[in-house]
Amino acid sequence: MSGRIHSELFKSKVMSAQDAAALVQNGWNIGFSGFTGAGYPKEFPVALADVINAAHDRGEEFKVGVWTGASTAPELDGALARTGGVSYRAPYQSDPDMRKAINTGVTYYQDIHLSHMAPQVFQGFLGPLDLAVVEASGIDADGNIIPSSSVGMNRTYLEYAKHIIIEVNEWQSEDLFGMHDIYYPIGALPPRRAPIPLINPGDRIGDQVMRIKSEKVIGVIVTDDPDRNSPFKPLDDDSRAIANNLLDFLSNEVKQGRLPKNLLPLQSGVGNIANAVLAGLLDGPFERLTSYTEVIQDGMVDLLDSGKLTVASATAFSLSPEAAHRMNENAAKYREKIVLRPQDVSNHPEVIRRLGVIACNGMIEADIYGNVNSTHVMGSRMQNGIGGSGDFTRNGWISSFVTPSTAKGGAISCIVPMVNHVDHTEHDVQVIITEQGLADLRGLAPRQRAQVIIENCAHPDYKEPLREYVKFAATKANGQHTPHDLATALGWHVRFLETGTMQA
Ligand code: 0RQ
């Protein structure tokens, strides 16, 4: 029996993952914990995949809807996607097998802003939730859940679901207790919604544990499995150049008096470039930094260790194995400086706007007028999803996007005449950064933006073709505000699909 379960009632509900999975019925919607590979249930989804496969082998239909906080791991998204039994998936994923299920048309995917997921569930927009399966680092004597390495959608799913299964994971540090801040009033519906009383990134405004109705709990599973902690790639020259361009820009903002010396709360997306930006901050001139973001990755933990970052607010970790080990060993120390919140608080538009968050996210491509595509490859294929990038971009003090100027060995320009899908419109995007340079779009009209984006950000191989497009579009366009030649605007993508390169 696990020493992490302090409630007698819940001790009596311990069962195997297989027995728990056998309780699921065809057609159920299941809300799983998990955000960027942290705090997702590890054994139940694999057991559920076996149940689905066995039903399919018998020739029976068995499909489930899969709701999460954000991306999970091969044991959850991967295992379930491979069954072909996921009918619906929301809101963010990055698993190769789930991506395949979506792009082959097996799974319907709804790419919802992460801050919208909880309100949409409570508003009833996504239908009923039959089951919540949530990882915990423990259950206290009163039957409350002590969260693990992510909070994400857990509070919402535990409240909204008809049934609950808890995975108590002994791999997670017990010292995570006290790191979480579960703010309940945010679940209220209009007209009972009230302002969120969060003034500084590190403020604690809620509970340390999540309350549940014990009668809804149909099973408790005990596990001892690590999170999906992927190592970061070593920093390459492009990532370093992109990071330096952003840091120079921020230094100049301080010089111009538009930002205080310790900047404003930072949000940084996931991935290697974001980590390079954080590494750059470690060597940079800024002190007493704060962060109001959704994921805490290695670079942020290093910044906390160095004392350059005083506090980090997020909803989850996204750590390398080495940093996860460090976190597990030292959670009691880190919980003084780290707050993990539900994703509808970490990503709340009003809070982000009021705190003045500096947003920096990755993108697939941008067009010459400043529209950004974060999600689609060549018009139709889903990569990951919008995640929290929209929450932070529209509401940030400064909203920036980073990408290498080319992809696939130079066959693709990440600066194109027209994006093949728009996630972030020209109205929201203020700064675009590649290894070539930085385009500051603030105060510029579309035709002015085209000039700085092409000259500062495009790869030398694509600069002249982009300049030619601008000239040609001006002769064909039916207006000179955002001149386009609709017949050729997506021609570069078409050429890539037909020939394997955007180069003429
Ligand atoms: O393809 O996987 O086949 O190698 O796209 O590109 O360069 O590895 O970049 O991992 O930083 O991801 C936008 C996807 C960038 C990410 C995106 C191909 C490229 C590669 C991945 P391969 P990289 P990254 C916080 C905020 C949305 C969510 C978000 C993302 C693959 O940043 O998901 O911001 N953002 N959330 O070759 C065709 C192009 C391409 C291209 C790159 N122009 N055309 N393919 N690729 N550029 C986190 C959360 O919200 C949880």
Side-chain angles (χ1 to χ4, degrees):
M1 181 55 62
S2 170
R4 301 287 187 96
I5 306 172
H6 298 282
S7 141
E8 291 308 319
L9 176 63
F10 288 122
K11 280 182 189 166
S12 69
K13 299 194 181 200
V14 171
M15 61 176 68
S16 70
Q18 288 68 28
D19 287 348
L23 300 171
V24 174
Q25 291 172 25
N26 176 34
W28 274 16
N29 286 329
I30 307 177
F32 290 99
S33 66
F35 198 106
T36 51
Y40 57 92
K42 276 79 178 171
E43 295 191 7
F44 175 88
V46 176
L48 177 60
D50 290 341
V51 169
I52 296 173
N53 284 330
H56 291 176
D57 288 347
R58 293 192 301 272
E60 294 165 17
E61 181 170 288
F62 205 118
K63 282 181 184 272
V64 291
V66 175
W67 311 356
T68 61
S71 52
T72 63
E75 305 98 293
L76 198 168
D77 269 313
L80 291 175
R82 283 193 298 277
T83 68
V86 178
S87 52
Y88 171 91
R89 177 75 177 84
Y92 179 81
Q93 55 73 43
S94 63
D95 181 85
D97 288 312
M98 185 56 79
R99 189 181 294 138
K100 192 168 158 199
I102 292 163
N103 286 320
T104 52
V106 171
T107 295
Y108 286 117
Y109 175 46
Q110 193 183 4
D111 190 12
I112 299 173
H113 292 295
L114 295 183
S115 75
H116 284 182
M117 189 67 185
Q120 292 199 12
V121 168
F122 275 126
Q123 286 156 208
F125 291 2
L126 303 188
L129 184 62
D130 301 285
L131 175 66
V133 186
V134 170
E135 184 183 89
S137 62
I139 301 176
D140 74 13
D142 297 324
N144 298 309
I145 305 263
I146 304 164
S148 68
S149 48
S150 68
V151 177
M153 285 291 294
N154 298 1
R155 188 211 72 243
T156 303
Y157 293 157
L158 289 167
E159 248 181 283
Y160 194 70
K162 288 184 205 141
H163 308 288
I164 294 171
I165 289 173
I166 306 163
E167 267 199 18
V168 176
N169 187 350
E170 296 181 342
W171 176 85
Q172 300 281 5
S173 168
E174 281 189 277
D175 288 334
L176 288 174
F177 176 69
M179 192 179 274
H180 312 96
D181 187 62
I182 315 299
Y183 181 64
Y184 274 90
I186 195 168
L189 293 175
R192 293 189 307 283
R193 282 188 186 150
I196 301 170
L198 198 157
I199 310 295
N200 305 294
D203 286 353
R204 291 182 180 277
I205 56 174
D207 300 354
Q208 294 181 331
V209 293
M210 293 185 292
R211 310 165 207 149
I212 48 173
K213 288 203 172 91
S214 57
E215 64 275 17
K216 294 206 292 189
V217 178
I218 55 174
V220 176
I221 301 163
V222 179
T223 67
D224 187 5
D225 303 311
D227 276 334
R228 177 210 79 190
N229 298 117
S230 325
F232 288 96
K233 286 185 216 152
L235 296 189
D236 59 14
D237 289 347
D238 280 359
S239 312
R240 257 191 230 107
I242 291 168
N244 287 340
N245 290 336
L246 174 63
L247 296 173
D248 287 349
F249 169 80
L250 293 176
S251 295
N252 190 48
E253 287 300 293
V254 174
K255 210 160 125 200
Q256 300 301 323
R258 286 189 288 258
L259 276 178
K261 272 195 183 135
N262 67 334
L263 306 181
L264 284 167
L266 302 166
Q267 179 260 337
S268 126
V270 284
N272 293 304
I273 297 176
N275 221 33
V277 170
L278 296 170
L281 284 170
L282 198 59
D283 303 326
F286 308 111
E287 306 283 342
R288 291 183 301 105
L289 296 166
T290 60
S291 168
Y292 196 80
T293 187
E294 58 187 31
V295 285
I296 292 179
Q297 44 183 318
D298 288 25
M300 221 164 253
V301 179
D302 294 340
L303 280 172
L304 284 171
D305 286 345
S306 74
K308 291 216 166 197
L309 184 68
T310 58
V311 70
S313 164
T315 191
F317 292 119
S318 178
L319 299 173
S320 69
E322 183 276 317
H325 181 72
R326 214 170 358 139
M327 182 56 58
N328 266 355
E329 293 292 299
N330 300 294
K333 180 185 89 178
Y334 286 118
R335 73 185 172 210
E336 306 294 317
K337 294 179 176 174
I338 293 177
V339 189
L340 295 183
R341 313 176 184 282
Q343 70 192 61
D344 41 338
V345 180
S346 66
N347 287 34
H348 198 282
E350 190 274 332
V351 177
I352 293 166
R353 176 74 59 92
R354 186 157 44 79
L355 293 179
V357 174
I358 298 173
C360 179
N361 291 290
M363 64 176 173
I364 301 267
E365 60 178 7
D367 69 26
I368 53 173
Y369 296 123
N371 299 288
V372 164
N373 165 21
S374 293
T375 57
H376 281 65
V377 173
M378 302 299 150
S380 313
R381 287 185 66 82
M382 172 53 62
Q383 182 70 17
N384 300 331
I386 194 166
S389 56
D391 299 326
F392 287 92
T393 295
R394 176 154 291 178
N395 302 293
W397 175 271
I398 288 167
S399 297
S400 62
F401 281 94
V402 291
T403 180
S405 63
T406 60
K408 303 291 176 206
I412 293 175
S413 173
C414 298
I415 307 295
V416 288
M418 183 185 261
V419 283
N420 72 69
H421 172 95
V422 190
D423 293 293
H424 310 289
T425 72
E426 48 142 336
H427 313 285
D428 301 324
V429 178
Q430 293 169 328
V431 176
I432 290 177
I433 309 164
T434 69
E435 81 288 353
Q436 301 292 323
L438 179 145
D440 180 356
L441 309 179
R442 293 172 300 171
L444 301 186
R447 279 185 295 141
Q448 297 171 300
R449 276 183 235 146
Q451 265 218 309
V452 290
I453 293 173
I454 295 170
E455 299 311 324
N456 296 2
C457 295
H459 189 276
D461 289 352
Y462 289 99
K463 270 197 174 125
E464 199 44 42
L466 286 166
R467 291 182 194 126
E468 278 167 23
Y469 175 80
V470 168
K471 272 193 237 146
F472 181 68
T475 66
K476 292 280 180 178
N478 67 340
Q480 292 301 317
H481 176 64
T482 312
H484 265 306
D485 172 44
L486 292 181
T488 59
L490 291 170
W492 292 26
H493 299 86
V494 175
R495 190 182 305 129
F496 176 83
L497 288 171
E498 287 172 358
T499 68
T501 177
M502 282 184 172
Q503 299 204 16

